[in-house]
């Protein structure tokens, strides 16, 4: 039996007294696209923040590539190969597009060759970013900012890319384009953990999914199973 | 006209001091949203270290070459004050990082009093005077006004230091990381930036610049005192706000402007000399009312 690339076991995370994650179990295999869906406040963002080390779980364990990464500071976790494109994009607004991308490659140190190569890949994926490379991040359109967030996360050449609501606030055309790009990134060998409110689109893209409700995984399965599931259809796909 | 020119030249010199010190306030504020009230005292420590080193290296005749001696004095004092600054952050601020906004301010004031007392215990409460004639007494006449060698040296050194800092912040990987951390700690962490190291770096840079200012003030005015950190510190703080606190070019511009305003006002207003210090605070009040973001304070780009 092979070990999953990312394994989360019985993770409990708190914000002060708020018990945000109540024993999450989750696995992502190498090469997969896995989606995490759930209503507002279910704990999706918190799950990603726990994995990337921005918050420490009070209980449970996070394993990457078989190694226990619990308690490692966030800047060390990126180096291991986990990139997190955060919710709300969070690009550096007064840094140029190029500087934003360079920050994405910060964990590579001074390895200019690798950085240049990654930049080529990112520009290949998002030609728009190359056109805008000297523009300040804050002056980009919403769609361009989303490209920058994803591109920046890819600059570290991650093994797994975690995306938090990449479709948020984008026009339907752009949402389609972004999801296509995610598929493309996955084809190029990057494992994806995708948090989405747009459950239908996410499940169509993903291989497997987990449904989160108030800090617990209430359902999981292949994307096809979830798309057919009665409860999922009612609660998340807006069907009667 | 001559008088105006002379006041302007003096104002630029004082402005250079304000600018160098203001940078320390603004960088720390930019990155931690904390006013490091002990920064003026770090600058004062720099001035005292400069005094001791001048005596030990130049007056004693230990290093005969003046330029070499001054270079060593600047580097040593800047290095030691930089380390003191970084240590201060570790001891007085880092443990309080999550303790809200008031606790670090109280801690800063405590650190300020501590530094003043250490210097007072070592050097005594009386003022000290930098030995005269360290730099040759040369001056030039420009349109009837005088520029002394010390003034010229102050200007050149300050511009070199500030230019170097600007280049570092704008053009290097670490400098960009400082700007990134100033914008958003969590996202910077996700990039692989060790935020604590960047904060340490900022607490090395600001005090180093302040120390250079401290030595130059000693060379320019001669007299130094263990309480001088408050006076200059407050002025430099006003300069930082004038330029837009958190904004690095703003601190430079604000420093020079404040020095020039203050000196001109002192020269032209009736009883101006007596009002000199009040002018800085008048400017502070005007800025806070008219343009709270300061002259170069960025209008924050809204994220959608
Ligand atoms: N900084 C915080 N302090 C206190 N509670 C928080 C904080 N951040 C999140 N929470 C709480 O933790 C729970 C999970 O939040 P989380 O942001 O992970 O939800 P989410 O599934 O990402 O929601 P959304 O779809 O709205 O982004 C919520 O109840 C939320 O109120
Ligand atoms: Mg969320």
């Amino acid at each position: 039996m092979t070990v999953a690339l990312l394994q989360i076991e019985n993770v409990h995370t708190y914000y002060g007294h708020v018990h945000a994650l109540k024993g999450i179990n989750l696995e992502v295999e190498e090469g997969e696209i896995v989606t995490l869906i759930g209503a507002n406040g279910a704990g999706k963002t918190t799950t990603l923040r726990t994995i990337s080390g921005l918050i420490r779980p009070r209980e449970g364990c996070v394993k990457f590539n078989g190694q226990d990464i619990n308690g490692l500071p966030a800047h060390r976790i990126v180096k291991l190969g986990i990139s997190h494109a955060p919710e709300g994009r969070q690009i550096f607004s007064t840094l140029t597009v190029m500087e934003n991308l360079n920050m994405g490659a910060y964990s590579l140190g001074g390895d200019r060759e690798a950085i240049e190569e990654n930049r080529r890949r990112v520009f290949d994926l998002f030609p728009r970013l190359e056109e805008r490379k000297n523009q300040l991040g804050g002056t980009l359109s919403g769609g361009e900012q989303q490209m920058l967030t994803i591109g920046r996360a890819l600059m570290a050449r991650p093994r797994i890319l975690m995306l938090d609501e990449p479709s948020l606030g984008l026009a339907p055309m752009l949402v389609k384009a972004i999801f296509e790009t995610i598929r493309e990134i996955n084809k190029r060998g990057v494992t994806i953990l995708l948090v989405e409110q747009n459950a239908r689109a996410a499940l169509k893209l993903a291989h497997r999914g987990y449904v989160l409700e108030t800090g617990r995984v209430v359902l999981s399965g292949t994307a096809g199973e979830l798309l057919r599931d009665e409860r999922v259809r009612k609660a998340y796909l807006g069907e009667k | 006209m001559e008088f105006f020119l002379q006041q302007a030249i003096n104002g630029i010199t004082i402005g250079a001091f304000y600018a160098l010190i203001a940078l320390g306030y603004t960088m720390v504020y930019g990155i931690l949203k904390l006013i490091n009230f002990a920064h003026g005292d770090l600058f004062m420590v720099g001035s005292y270290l400069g005094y001791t080193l001048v005596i030990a290296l130049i007056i004693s005749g230990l290093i005969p070459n003046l330029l070499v001696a001054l270079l060593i004095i600047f580097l040593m004092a800047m290095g030691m004050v930089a380390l003191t600054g970084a240590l201060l952050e570790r001891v007085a601020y880092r443990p309080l990082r999550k303790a809200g906004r008031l606790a670090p301010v109280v801690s800063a004031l405590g650190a300020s009093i501590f530094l003043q007392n250490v210097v007072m215990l070592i050097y005594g409460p009386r003022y000290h005077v930098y030995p005269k004639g360290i730099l040759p007494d040369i001056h030039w006449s420009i349109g009837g006004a005088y520029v002394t060698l010390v003034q010229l040296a102050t200007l050149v050194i300050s511009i070199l230091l500030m230019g170097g800092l600007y280049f570092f912040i704008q053009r290097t990987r670490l400098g960009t990381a400082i700007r990134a951390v100033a914008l958003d700690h969590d996202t910077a962490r996700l990039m692989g930036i060790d935020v604590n190291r960047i904060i340490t770096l900022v607490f090395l840079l600001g005090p180093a610049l302040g120390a250079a200012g401290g030595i130059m003030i000693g060379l320019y005015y001669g007299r130094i005192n263990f309480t001088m950190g408050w006076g200059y510190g407050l002025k430099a703080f006003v300069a930082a706000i004038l330029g837009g606190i958190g904004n690095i070019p703003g601190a430079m511009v604000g420093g020079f402007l404040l020095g020039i305003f203050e000196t001109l006002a002192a020269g032209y207003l009736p009883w101006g000399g007596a009002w000199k210090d009040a002018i800085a605070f008048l400017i502070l009040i005007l800025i806070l009312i008219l343009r709270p973001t300061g002259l170069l304070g960025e209008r924050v780009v809204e994220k959608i």
Side-chain angles (χ1 to χ4, degrees), chain A residues 15-16 18-21 38-47 49 87 164-165 195 197 212:
Chain A
Y15 294 102
V18 181
H19 194 174
L21 300 185
N40 290 116
K44 307 181 295 294
T45 298
T46 307
T47 304
R49 289 170 63 86
E87 184 173 27
D164 198 344
E165 306 213 22
V195 159
Q197 294 244 3
L212 244 59

Side-chain angles (χ1 to χ4, degrees), chain B:
Chain B
M1 187 59 205
E2 283 159 30
F3 181 67
F4 174 84
L5 210 57
Q6 190 63 59
Q7 291 299 96
I9 290 168
N10 297 346
I12 289 171
T13 310
I14 297 167
F17 301 141
Y18 292 161
L20 281 176
I21 308 170
L23 283 166
Y25 285 106
T26 232
M27 285 197 286
V28 165
Y29 183 85
I31 216 150
L32 284 179
K33 304 292 170 276
L34 161 80
I35 311 285
N36 177 13
F37 282 109
H39 181 62
D41 302 291
L42 289 166
F43 140 83
M44 176 272 294
V45 170
S47 203
Y48 269 88
L49 284 173
Y51 167 81
T52 297
L53 288 166
V54 162
I55 303 239
L57 301 185
I58 297 182
I59 302 301
S60 71
L62 193 64
I63 302 179
N65 185 321
L66 183 64
L67 278 181
V68 173
L70 283 174
L71 186 67
I72 294 176
I73 289 171
F74 270 88
L75 291 180
M76 279 182 73
M78 288 169 76
M80 283 156 81
V81 175
L83 290 179
T84 312
L87 187 71
L88 173 78
E89 189 271 328
R90 264 288 163 66
V91 176
Y93 301 144
R94 192 171 297 184
L96 299 171
R97 195 82 60 72
K98 293 195 174 87
R101 297 199 53 173
L102 186 59
V105 172
V106 175
S107 187
L109 292 172
S112 163
I113 294 167
F114 175 79
L115 288 171
Q116 289 188 19
N117 279 279
V118 169
V119 171
M120 192 192 70
L121 286 174
I122 296 175
Y123 289 89
R126 290 177 52 97
Y127 62 79
H128 284 252
V129 182
Y130 269 58
K132 288 223 165 37
I134 300 166
L135 289 183
D137 188 12
I138 303 172
H139 55 261
W140 297 271
S141 169
I142 309 178
Y146 287 107
V147 183
T148 66
L149 180 61
V150 179
Q151 288 181 317
L152 189 69
T154 297
L155 194 63
V156 170
I157 294 172
S158 320
I159 287 176
L160 284 178
L161 288 173
M162 288 188 237
L165 177 76
Y166 190 73
F167 177 86
F168 176 72
I169 297 283
Q170 291 297 328
R171 289 275 175 273
T172 67
R173 172 171 170 271
L174 268 180
T176 312
I178 291 180
R179 286 183 286 144
V181 172
L183 287 167
D184 183 345
H185 284 209
D186 272 354
T187 307
R189 280 193 184 95
L190 292 180
M191 304 295 108
I193 298 172
D194 183 344
V195 169
N196 278 330
R197 275 173 74 172
I198 295 295
I199 291 170
T200 299
L201 176 62
V202 164
F203 271 90
L204 288 167
L205 287 173
L209 295 177
I215 300 170
M216 292 195 287
I217 280 185
L219 292 172
Y220 184 57
Y221 288 118
R223 266 167 76 142
I224 58 171
N225 186 278
F226 74 97
T227 57
M228 71 197 274
W230 267 102
Y232 287 105
L234 271 175
K235 297 280 188 61
F237 176 56
V238 171
I241 295 194
L242 175 63
I245 189 136
N247 183 305
I248 287 174
M252 303 181 190
V253 171
F256 280 110
L257 280 182
L258 182 64
I260 293 169
F261 278 158
E262 194 182 85
T263 317
L264 286 180
Y268 282 99
L269 296 181
W271 309 291
W275 285 90
K276 190 172 165 233
D277 290 343
I279 284 158
F281 299 102
L282 191 67
I283 291 174
L284 175 64
I285 292 167
L286 285 179
I287 277 287
L288 290 178
I289 294 172
L290 299 176
R291 201 179 152 87
T293 54
L295 295 176
L296 302 190
E298 286 141 31
R299 241 163 268 125
V300 182
V301 187
E302 288 297 332
K303 270 178 275 184
I304 319 153

